[in-house]
Protein backbone atom coordinates (compact mmCIF):
# COMPACT_ATOMS: atom_id res chain seq x y z
CA UNK A 1 0.00 0.00 0.00
CA UNK A 2 1.33 3.48 -0.87
CA UNK A 3 2.62 5.44 2.08
CA UNK A 4 1.65 8.95 0.99
CA UNK A 5 3.63 10.53 3.80
CA UNK A 6 6.92 8.92 2.81
CA UNK A 7 8.92 12.10 2.00
CA UNK A 8 9.89 11.03 -1.56
CA UNK A 9 6.40 9.81 -2.37
CA UNK A 10 4.89 12.95 -0.92
CA UNK A 11 7.26 15.21 -2.90
CA UNK A 12 6.29 13.35 -6.08
CA UNK A 13 2.61 13.77 -5.20
CA UNK A 14 3.11 17.52 -4.74
CA UNK A 15 4.74 17.67 -8.18
CA UNK A 16 1.78 16.01 -9.85
CA UNK A 17 -1.30 17.48 -8.22
CA UNK A 18 -3.07 20.72 -9.14
CA UNK A 19 -3.18 23.58 -6.66
CA UNK A 20 -6.61 24.87 -5.60
CA UNK A 21 -5.80 28.51 -6.21
CA UNK A 22 -6.94 31.61 -4.32
CA UNK A 23 -7.37 35.08 -5.67
CA UNK A 24 -7.53 36.42 -9.21
CA UNK A 25 -5.01 37.23 -11.90
CA UNK A 26 -4.93 40.48 -13.83
CA UNK A 27 -6.75 38.83 -16.76
CA UNK A 28 -9.70 38.06 -14.46
CA UNK A 29 -10.64 41.74 -14.07
CA UNK A 30 -12.69 43.74 -16.57
CA UNK A 31 -13.65 47.39 -16.31
CA UNK A 32 -17.16 47.83 -14.91
CA UNK A 33 -17.19 44.39 -13.24
CA UNK A 34 -18.91 44.52 -9.83
CA UNK A 35 -17.71 42.17 -7.10
CA UNK A 36 -19.67 41.69 -3.90
CA UNK A 37 -17.27 40.39 -1.29
CA UNK A 38 -18.07 37.66 1.22
CA UNK A 39 -19.56 38.96 4.46
CA UNK A 40 -16.74 40.51 6.39
CA UNK A 41 -16.12 41.47 9.95
CA UNK A 42 -18.37 42.52 12.75
CA UNK A 43 -16.64 45.66 13.96
CA UNK A 44 -15.73 45.05 17.57
CA UNK A 45 -14.21 47.10 20.32
CA UNK A 46 -11.55 44.46 20.71
CA UNK A 47 -10.49 44.69 17.06
CA UNK A 48 -10.65 48.47 17.17
CA UNK A 49 -8.59 48.73 20.36
CA UNK A 50 -5.99 46.24 19.12
CA UNK A 51 -5.49 48.18 15.88
CA UNK A 52 -5.36 51.54 17.66
CA UNK A 53 -3.05 50.31 20.40
CA UNK A 54 -0.51 48.69 18.09
CA UNK A 55 -0.42 51.62 15.65
CA UNK A 56 -0.05 54.20 18.45
CA UNK A 57 -3.37 55.85 17.65
CA UNK A 58 -3.93 56.42 21.35
CA UNK A 59 -6.97 58.66 21.15
CA UNK A 60 -9.29 58.05 24.12
CA UNK A 61 -12.35 59.35 22.24
CA UNK A 62 -12.40 55.93 20.58
CA UNK A 63 -12.40 53.90 23.79
CA UNK A 64 -13.60 56.05 26.76
CA UNK A 65 -17.16 57.30 27.03
CA UNK A 66 -16.24 60.61 28.71
CA UNK A 67 -13.66 61.42 26.05
CA UNK A 68 -16.09 60.32 23.32
CA UNK A 69 -18.84 62.60 24.63
CA UNK A 70 -16.41 65.51 24.83
CA UNK A 71 -15.73 64.93 21.13
CA UNK A 72 -19.46 64.96 20.28
CA UNK A 73 -20.01 61.19 19.98
CA UNK A 74 -22.77 59.37 21.90
CA UNK A 75 -20.41 56.48 22.61
CA UNK A 76 -16.84 55.61 21.57
CA UNK A 77 -17.06 54.85 17.86
CA UNK A 78 -14.86 52.76 15.60
CA UNK A 79 -11.65 54.56 14.63
CA UNK A 80 -11.53 55.59 10.94
CA UNK A 81 -8.22 53.78 10.30
CA UNK A 82 -9.64 50.53 11.65
CA UNK A 83 -12.89 51.04 9.73
CA UNK A 84 -10.90 51.49 6.52
CA UNK A 85 -8.75 48.40 7.15
CA UNK A 86 -11.78 46.33 8.20
CA UNK A 87 -13.54 47.26 4.95
CA UNK A 88 -10.48 46.63 2.78
CA UNK A 89 -9.62 43.31 4.49
CA UNK A 90 -12.58 41.27 3.19
CA UNK A 91 -11.99 42.60 -0.34
CA UNK A 92 -8.45 41.19 -0.50
CA UNK A 93 -9.45 37.58 -1.18
CA UNK A 94 -11.26 38.64 -4.37
CA UNK A 95 -8.98 41.47 -5.47
CA UNK A 96 -5.36 41.20 -4.36
CA UNK A 97 -4.70 37.89 -2.61
CA UNK A 98 -2.71 36.68 -5.62
CA UNK A 99 0.07 39.03 -4.62
CA UNK A 100 1.42 42.17 -6.19
CA UNK A 101 1.86 45.34 -4.29
CA UNK A 102 -0.66 47.85 -3.01
CA UNK A 103 0.46 50.94 -4.92
CA UNK A 104 -1.89 53.61 -3.71
CA UNK A 105 -5.36 54.81 -2.86
CA UNK A 106 -7.35 57.92 -3.69
CA UNK A 107 -10.65 59.59 -2.76
CA UNK A 108 -10.90 57.98 0.69
CA UNK A 109 -14.09 59.43 2.18
CA UNK A 110 -15.64 58.86 5.58
CA UNK A 111 -19.38 59.27 5.09
CA UNK A 112 -20.25 58.55 8.75
CA UNK A 113 -18.33 59.87 11.72
CA UNK A 114 -19.69 57.76 14.55
CA UNK A 115 -19.66 54.17 13.29
CA UNK A 116 -20.74 52.00 16.23
CA UNK A 117 -19.13 48.76 17.39
CA UNK A 118 -21.39 45.90 16.31
CA UNK A 119 -21.76 47.28 12.77
CA UNK A 120 -21.43 44.54 10.16
CA UNK A 121 -20.26 46.21 6.94
CA UNK A 122 -20.98 44.72 3.50
CA UNK A 123 -18.22 45.42 1.04
CA UNK A 124 -18.53 45.78 -2.73
CA UNK A 125 -15.96 46.75 -5.35
CA UNK A 126 -16.23 47.87 -8.97
CA UNK A 127 -13.31 47.54 -11.36
CA UNK A 128 -12.59 51.10 -12.53
CA UNK A 129 -9.46 50.62 -14.64
CA UNK A 130 -7.13 47.91 -15.87
CA UNK A 131 -3.83 48.59 -17.60
CA UNK A 132 -0.51 47.09 -18.54
CA UNK A 133 2.59 47.86 -16.53
CA UNK A 134 5.19 49.02 -19.02
CA UNK A 135 8.07 48.55 -16.59
CA UNK A 136 6.96 45.19 -15.17
CA UNK A 137 5.48 42.94 -17.86
CA UNK A 138 4.67 40.18 -15.42
CA UNK A 139 2.09 42.49 -13.78
CA UNK A 140 -0.95 44.52 -14.69
CA UNK A 141 -2.27 47.50 -12.78
CA UNK A 142 -5.88 47.46 -11.56
CA UNK A 143 -7.94 50.18 -9.87
CA UNK A 144 -11.12 49.32 -7.96
CA UNK A 145 -13.69 51.54 -6.28
CA UNK A 146 -14.76 50.00 -2.98
CA UNK A 147 -17.68 50.85 -0.70
CA UNK A 148 -18.23 49.57 2.84
CA UNK A 149 -21.94 49.88 3.68
CA UNK A 150 -24.02 49.34 6.79
CA UNK A 151 -27.13 47.14 7.06
CA UNK A 152 -29.30 49.96 5.60
CA UNK A 153 -27.06 50.20 2.55
CA UNK A 154 -25.59 53.56 3.60
CA UNK A 155 -21.95 53.98 2.69
CA UNK A 156 -19.66 54.26 5.72
CA UNK A 157 -16.41 54.63 3.80
CA UNK A 158 -15.44 54.57 0.12
CA UNK A 159 -12.17 54.75 -1.78
CA UNK A 160 -10.33 53.90 -4.98
CA UNK A 161 -7.39 51.54 -4.63
CA UNK A 162 -4.69 50.60 -7.15
CA UNK A 163 -2.56 47.44 -7.03
CA UNK A 164 -0.07 45.65 -9.20
CA UNK A 165 -1.65 42.27 -9.95
CA UNK A 166 0.24 39.28 -11.34
CA UNK A 167 -0.64 38.24 -14.86
CA UNK A 168 -1.48 34.58 -15.43
CA UNK A 169 1.34 34.45 -18.01
CA UNK A 170 4.24 34.78 -17.55
CA UNK A 171 4.42 33.12 -14.13
CA UNK A 172 3.80 35.52 -11.27
CA UNK A 173 6.55 36.75 -9.03
CA UNK A 174 6.11 39.18 -6.21
CA UNK A 175 7.43 42.25 -7.99
CA UNK A 176 9.61 44.71 -6.15
CA UNK A 177 11.86 47.57 -6.86
CA UNK A 178 15.21 46.97 -8.48
CA UNK A 179 18.31 47.51 -6.42
CA UNK A 180 19.50 50.14 -8.89
CA UNK A 181 16.37 52.22 -8.41
CA UNK A 182 16.82 52.06 -4.64
CA UNK A 183 20.33 53.44 -4.91
CA UNK A 184 19.41 56.42 -7.07
CA UNK A 185 20.23 59.93 -5.81
CA UNK A 186 22.71 62.57 -6.84
CA UNK A 187 23.67 63.90 -3.44
CA UNK A 188 21.85 67.22 -3.96
CA UNK A 189 19.14 66.23 -1.51
CA UNK A 190 18.17 69.66 -0.37
CA UNK A 191 18.53 71.63 -3.62
CA UNK A 192 14.79 71.98 -4.20
CA UNK A 193 13.74 72.45 -0.60
CA UNK A 194 12.65 75.77 0.87
CA UNK A 195 15.13 77.74 2.93
CA UNK A 196 13.12 77.75 6.17
CA UNK A 197 11.00 75.13 7.92
CA UNK A 198 8.31 76.27 10.32
CA UNK A 199 6.95 74.10 13.13
CA UNK A 200 3.55 74.87 14.68
CA UNK A 201 3.70 75.81 18.37
CA UNK A 202 0.95 73.37 19.31
CA UNK A 203 -1.72 71.10 17.90
CA UNK A 204 -4.78 73.36 17.78
CA UNK A 205 -6.25 74.72 14.54
CA UNK A 206 -4.89 78.20 15.26
CA UNK A 207 -1.35 76.79 15.66
CA UNK A 208 -1.45 75.42 12.12
CA UNK A 209 -3.00 78.64 10.76
CA UNK A 210 -0.35 80.81 12.47
CA UNK A 211 2.46 78.57 11.26
CA UNK A 212 1.20 78.90 7.67
CA UNK A 213 1.03 82.68 8.13
CA UNK A 214 4.65 82.68 9.35
CA UNK A 215 5.70 80.74 6.25
CA UNK A 216 3.73 82.88 3.80
CA UNK A 217 5.44 85.21 1.33
CA UNK A 218 8.89 83.76 1.84
CA UNK A 219 10.86 80.69 0.90
CA UNK A 220 9.43 78.57 3.75
CA UNK A 221 7.25 75.54 4.42
CA UNK A 222 5.41 74.27 7.47
CA UNK A 223 7.07 70.87 7.79
CA UNK A 224 8.31 68.80 10.71
CA UNK A 225 8.91 65.23 11.83
CA UNK A 226 7.40 63.36 14.75
CA UNK A 227 9.63 61.80 17.36
CA UNK A 228 7.91 58.47 17.86
CA UNK A 229 8.85 55.39 15.87
CA UNK A 230 7.31 51.92 15.80
CA UNK A 231 9.44 48.92 14.89
CA UNK A 232 7.45 46.48 12.81
CA UNK A 233 7.13 43.05 14.38
CA UNK A 234 5.18 39.82 13.97
CA UNK A 235 2.12 41.48 15.39
CA UNK A 236 2.01 44.43 13.05
CA UNK A 237 3.22 42.59 9.95
CA UNK A 238 1.04 39.47 10.14
CA UNK A 239 -1.44 39.67 13.01
CA UNK A 240 -3.11 43.01 12.33
CA UNK A 241 -3.90 42.36 8.65
CA UNK A 242 -5.11 38.83 9.40
CA UNK A 243 -7.37 40.25 12.12
CA UNK A 244 -9.06 42.33 9.41
CA UNK A 245 -9.44 39.24 7.15
CA UNK A 246 -6.69 40.50 4.84
CA UNK A 247 -5.42 37.29 3.24
CA UNK A 248 -2.68 38.87 1.08
CA UNK A 249 0.21 36.41 1.08
CA UNK A 250 2.69 39.28 1.42
CA UNK A 251 1.96 39.66 5.12
CA UNK A 252 1.92 36.14 6.52
CA UNK A 253 3.32 33.60 4.07
CA UNK A 254 7.08 33.54 4.56
CA UNK A 255 7.50 30.59 2.17
CA UNK A 256 5.86 32.46 -0.73
CA UNK A 257 7.77 35.63 0.08
CA UNK A 258 11.17 33.95 0.32
CA UNK A 259 11.38 34.17 -3.44
CA UNK A 260 10.30 37.82 -3.65
CA UNK A 261 12.45 40.98 -3.70
CA UNK A 262 11.86 41.57 0.01
CA UNK A 263 12.73 37.94 0.76
CA UNK A 264 10.26 37.97 3.64
CA UNK A 265 6.75 39.16 4.52
CA UNK A 266 6.08 42.88 4.19
CA UNK A 267 3.93 45.11 6.38
CA UNK A 268 0.38 45.81 5.21
CA UNK A 269 0.23 49.30 3.72
CA UNK A 270 -2.61 50.32 6.03
CA UNK A 271 -0.58 49.38 9.12
CA UNK A 272 2.40 51.43 7.93
CA UNK A 273 0.13 54.36 7.09
CA UNK A 274 -1.88 54.19 10.29
CA UNK A 275 1.31 54.07 12.36
CA UNK A 276 2.70 57.24 10.76
CA UNK A 277 -0.71 58.89 11.14
CA UNK A 278 -0.75 57.86 14.81
CA UNK A 279 2.55 59.67 15.28
CA UNK A 280 1.15 62.76 13.53
CA UNK A 281 -2.15 62.74 15.43
CA UNK A 282 -0.26 62.61 18.74
CA UNK A 283 0.93 66.14 17.86
CA UNK A 284 -2.48 67.61 17.00
CA UNK A 285 -5.99 68.00 18.38
CA UNK A 286 -7.92 65.90 15.88
CA UNK A 287 -11.69 66.38 15.90
CA UNK A 288 -12.76 64.40 12.80
CA UNK A 289 -11.10 62.68 9.87
CA UNK A 290 -12.61 63.80 6.55
CA UNK A 291 -10.64 62.07 3.83
CA UNK A 292 -7.39 61.14 2.11
CA UNK A 293 -6.19 61.64 -1.44
CA UNK A 294 -3.23 60.64 -3.54
CA UNK A 295 -1.98 57.97 -1.16
CA UNK A 296 1.12 56.19 -2.48
CA UNK A 297 3.13 53.27 -1.15
CA UNK A 298 6.63 53.91 -2.38
CA UNK A 299 8.64 51.05 -0.94
CA UNK A 300 8.10 47.99 1.20
CA UNK A 301 8.48 47.71 4.98
CA UNK A 302 9.54 44.47 6.68
CA UNK A 303 9.80 43.26 10.29
CA UNK A 304 12.60 45.16 12.01
CA UNK A 305 11.99 48.39 10.05
CA UNK A 306 10.99 51.31 12.25
CA UNK A 307 8.19 53.52 10.92
CA UNK A 308 8.40 57.25 11.60
CA UNK A 309 6.15 60.12 10.54
CA UNK A 310 6.77 63.43 8.75
CA UNK A 311 4.12 66.12 8.21
CA UNK A 312 3.72 69.05 5.87
CA UNK A 313 0.85 71.49 6.52
CA UNK A 314 -0.65 72.63 3.24
CA UNK A 315 -3.72 74.64 4.22
CA UNK A 316 -5.80 75.68 7.24
CA UNK A 317 -9.31 76.82 6.38
CA UNK A 318 -11.26 78.44 9.26
CA UNK A 319 -14.52 78.53 7.31
CA UNK A 320 -14.81 74.79 6.64
CA UNK A 321 -16.07 72.99 9.73
CA UNK A 322 -18.21 73.43 12.80
CA UNK A 323 -17.64 76.32 15.26
CA UNK A 324 -15.26 74.26 17.40
CA UNK A 325 -12.88 73.20 14.61
CA UNK A 326 -11.24 74.26 11.35
CA UNK A 327 -10.15 72.17 8.39
CA UNK A 328 -6.46 71.45 7.96
CA UNK A 329 -4.93 69.80 4.90
CA UNK A 330 -1.76 67.84 5.63
CA UNK A 331 0.64 65.80 3.60
CA UNK A 332 1.98 62.92 5.69
CA UNK A 333 4.98 60.77 4.86
CA UNK A 334 5.85 57.50 6.59
CA UNK A 335 9.56 56.75 6.50
CA UNK A 336 12.00 54.22 7.90
CA UNK A 337 15.10 54.69 10.08
CA UNK A 338 17.26 54.67 6.94
CA UNK A 339 15.15 57.63 5.70
CA UNK A 340 13.27 55.78 2.96
CA UNK A 341 9.82 57.28 2.30
CA UNK A 342 7.43 54.33 2.26
CA UNK A 343 4.03 56.05 2.23
CA UNK A 344 2.71 59.50 1.39
CA UNK A 345 -0.79 60.89 1.33
CA UNK A 346 -2.81 64.06 1.55
CA UNK A 347 -5.21 64.21 4.47
CA UNK A 348 -8.07 66.56 5.36
CA UNK A 349 -9.07 66.63 9.01
CA UNK A 350 -11.04 68.90 11.29
CA UNK A 351 -8.77 70.11 14.06
CA UNK A 352 -10.15 71.53 17.29
CA UNK A 353 -9.69 75.22 17.95
CA UNK A 354 -7.93 76.38 21.12
CA UNK A 355 -11.24 77.02 22.92
CA UNK A 356 -12.97 73.75 21.96
CA UNK A 357 -12.36 72.16 25.34
CA UNK A 358 -15.77 71.28 26.75
CA UNK A 359 -17.97 70.67 23.72
CA UNK A 360 -21.03 68.46 23.66
CA UNK A 361 -22.95 66.71 20.92
CA UNK A 362 -25.01 69.88 20.61
CA UNK A 363 -22.07 72.07 19.73
CA UNK A 364 -23.59 73.03 16.40
CA UNK A 365 -21.40 70.61 14.52
CA UNK A 366 -22.50 69.69 11.04
CA UNK A 367 -20.16 66.70 11.33
CA UNK A 368 -21.92 64.16 13.57
C1 LIG B 1 5.65 48.19 -6.34
C2 LIG B 1 7.03 48.78 -6.47
C3 LIG B 1 8.03 47.68 -6.28
C4 LIG B 1 7.17 49.33 -7.87
O1 LIG B 1 8.30 50.16 -7.92
P1 LIG B 1 8.91 50.64 -9.30
O2 LIG B 1 9.31 49.48 -10.08
O3 LIG B 1 9.93 51.65 -8.95
O4 LIG B 1 7.73 51.28 -10.11
P2 LIG B 1 6.73 52.46 -9.81
O5 LIG B 1 6.58 52.75 -8.36
O6 LIG B 1 7.05 53.57 -10.71
O7 LIG B 1 5.35 51.83 -10.28
C5 LIG B 1 5.26 50.72 -11.18
C6 LIG B 1 4.09 50.97 -12.13
O8 LIG B 1 2.91 51.22 -11.33
C7 LIG B 1 2.36 52.50 -11.68
N1 LIG B 1 1.81 53.08 -10.47
C8 LIG B 1 2.45 53.29 -9.33
N2 LIG B 1 1.62 53.81 -8.41
C9 LIG B 1 0.42 53.95 -9.03
C10 LIG B 1 -0.84 54.44 -8.61
N3 LIG B 1 -1.05 54.90 -7.37
N4 LIG B 1 -1.86 54.42 -9.51
C11 LIG B 1 -1.68 53.95 -10.77
N5 LIG B 1 -0.49 53.45 -11.21
C12 LIG B 1 0.53 53.47 -10.35
C13 LIG B 1 3.54 53.30 -12.22
O9 LIG B 1 3.09 54.32 -13.09
C14 LIG B 1 4.32 52.22 -12.97
O10 LIG B 1 3.68 51.98 -14.22
P3 LIG B 1 4.53 51.45 -15.45
O11 LIG B 1 5.64 52.43 -15.66
O12 LIG B 1 3.57 51.38 -16.59
O13 LIG B 1 5.04 50.09 -15.11
C15 LIG B 1 7.29 49.93 -5.46
O14 LIG B 1 6.40 50.97 -5.76
C16 LIG B 1 7.10 49.48 -4.05
O15 LIG B 1 7.87 48.72 -3.47
N6 LIG B 1 6.01 49.96 -3.43
C17 LIG B 1 5.63 49.58 -2.10
C18 LIG B 1 4.48 48.67 -2.18
C19 LIG B 1 4.07 48.22 -0.80
O16 LIG B 1 4.87 47.85 0.03
N7 LIG B 1 2.74 48.28 -0.51
C20 LIG B 1 2.24 47.97 0.77
C21 LIG B 1 2.44 46.51 1.13
S1 LIG B 1 1.63 45.38 0.05
C22 LIG B 1 0.01 45.39 0.70
O17 LIG B 1 -0.29 46.10 1.62
C23 LIG B 1 -0.97 44.49 0.04
C24 LIG B 1 -2.36 44.71 0.56
O18 LIG B 1 -2.65 43.86 1.64
C25 LIG B 1 -3.32 44.39 -0.57
O19 LIG B 1 -3.91 43.34 -0.57
O20 LIG B 1 -3.42 45.25 -1.47
Amino acid sequence: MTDWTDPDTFAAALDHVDTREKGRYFEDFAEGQVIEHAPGLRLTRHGNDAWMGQTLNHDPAYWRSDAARARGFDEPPIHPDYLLAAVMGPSVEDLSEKGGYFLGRDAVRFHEHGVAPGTEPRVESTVRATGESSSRPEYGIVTWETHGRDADGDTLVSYERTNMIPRREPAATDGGRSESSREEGDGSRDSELPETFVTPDGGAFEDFRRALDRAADRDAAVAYRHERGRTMDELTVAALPLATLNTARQHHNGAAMADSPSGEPVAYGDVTRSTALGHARSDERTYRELGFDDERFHDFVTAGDTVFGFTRVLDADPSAGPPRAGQVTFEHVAFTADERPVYSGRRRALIDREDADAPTATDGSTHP
Side-chain angles (χ1 to χ4, degrees):
M1 199 163 102
T2 305
D3 176 2
W4 282 71
T5 58
D6 167 77
D8 292 335
T9 308
F10 188 63
L14 285 180
D15 278 348
H16 284 95
V17 298
D18 285 338
T19 299
R20 299 286 301 271
E21 292 198 36
K22 294 281 188 207
R24 296 176 195 207
Y25 289 102
F26 171 72
E27 290 84 348
D28 299 324
F29 295 105
E31 281 174 38
Q33 182 183 357
V34 177
I35 301 166
E36 189 183 332
H37 305 296
L41 288 172
R42 178 169 194 267
L43 302 178
T44 61
R45 264 203 203 296
H46 172 77
N48 183 68
D49 295 358
W51 184 282
M52 291 181 65
Q54 293 301 326
T55 57
L56 284 95
N57 278 285
H58 297 177
D59 182 342
Y62 294 91
W63 65 71
R64 281 184 66 95
S65 50
D66 51 358
R69 280 194 298 275
R71 196 75 72 72
F73 297 121
D74 292 338
E75 61 167 325
I78 294 297
H79 191 277
D81 288 7
Y82 180 61
L83 172 68
L84 187 58
V87 163
M88 181 163 146
S91 78
V92 167
E93 180 174 3
D94 292 324
L95 305 185
S96 50
E97 176 163 346
K98 233 356 159 217
Y101 286 114
F102 181 11
L103 292 171
R105 197 170 37 201
D106 201 16
V108 179
R109 296 292 177 267
F110 298 103
H111 301 262
E112 294 284 336
H113 290 277
V115 176
T119 301
E120 297 175 340
R122 298 297 304 228
V123 184
E124 185 184 89
S125 299
T126 305
V127 181
R128 287 292 171 222
T130 62
E132 314 273 308
S133 166
S134 54
S135 60
R136 291 171 179 266
E138 68 272 36
Y139 289 93
I141 296 173
V142 185
T143 300
W144 309 274
E145 179 180 331
T146 297
H147 286 246
R149 299 190 175 91
D150 66 13
D152 297 328
D154 294 329
T155 297
L156 305 173
V157 62
S158 61
Y159 57 85
E160 288 182 17
R161 144 163 100 110
T162 299
N163 275 56
M164 278 187 156
I165 298 295
R167 301 176 68 97
R168 190 171 275 108
E169 296 291 342
T173 66
D174 184 64
R177 216 167 140 181
S178 67
E179 284 308 311
S180 56
S181 68
R182 277 172 193 285
E183 285 159 12
E184 276 169 19
D186 59 6
S188 57
R189 290 161 38 122
D190 53 3
S191 57
E192 291 172 20
L193 292 174
E195 198 176 300
T196 308
F197 298 93
V198 176
T199 307
D201 293 329
F205 173 79
E206 291 84 348
D207 294 306
F208 295 111
R209 182 63 266 161
R210 284 192 289 261
L212 285 169
D213 290 344
R214 292 209 304 277
D217 302 324
R218 60 189 180 125
D219 188 16
V222 182
Y224 45 98
R225 58 193 288 179
H226 307 277
E227 183 173 8
R228 285 182 179 159
R230 168 73 162 102
T231 305
M232 294 289 123
D233 54 21
E234 276 283 298
L235 220 151
T236 47
V237 172
L240 284 188
L242 285 172
T244 64
L245 309 183
N246 180 332
T247 50
R249 65 187 64 187
Q250 288 104 316
H251 315 309
H252 62 266
N253 184 338
M257 295 303 287
D259 211 15
S260 77
S262 63
E264 59 182 307
V266 301
Y268 171 28
D270 268 338
V271 169
T272 302
R273 159 197 190 272
S274 189
T275 302
L277 293 174
H279 300 330
R281 290 175 182 132
S282 73
D283 289 325
E284 66 180 46
R285 291 173 56 180
T286 325
Y287 173 61
R288 295 284 189 273
E289 295 292 333
L290 297 180
F292 291 79
D293 289 286
D294 201 19
E295 295 195 291
R296 303 288 293 246
F297 294 99
H298 302 273
D299 206 346
F300 53 72
V301 172
T302 57
D305 279 333
T306 304
V307 173
F308 294 93
F310 177 96
T311 294
R312 222 152 54 89
V313 181
L314 305 179
D315 185 54
D317 181 352
S319 64
R324 64 176 282 169
Q327 178 180 292
V328 180
T329 306
F330 302 96
E331 184 185 44
H332 298 291
V333 178
F335 65 100
T336 51
D338 55 356
E339 302 184 349
R340 276 185 302 131
V342 290
Y343 160 87
S344 62
R346 219 167 49 248
R347 164 175 171 247
R348 281 182 307 112
L350 293 175
I351 304 295
D352 266 338
R353 296 177 193 274
E354 286 162 342
D355 60 1
D357 44 359
T360 67
T362 53
D363 64 353
S365 167
T366 54
H367 300 268

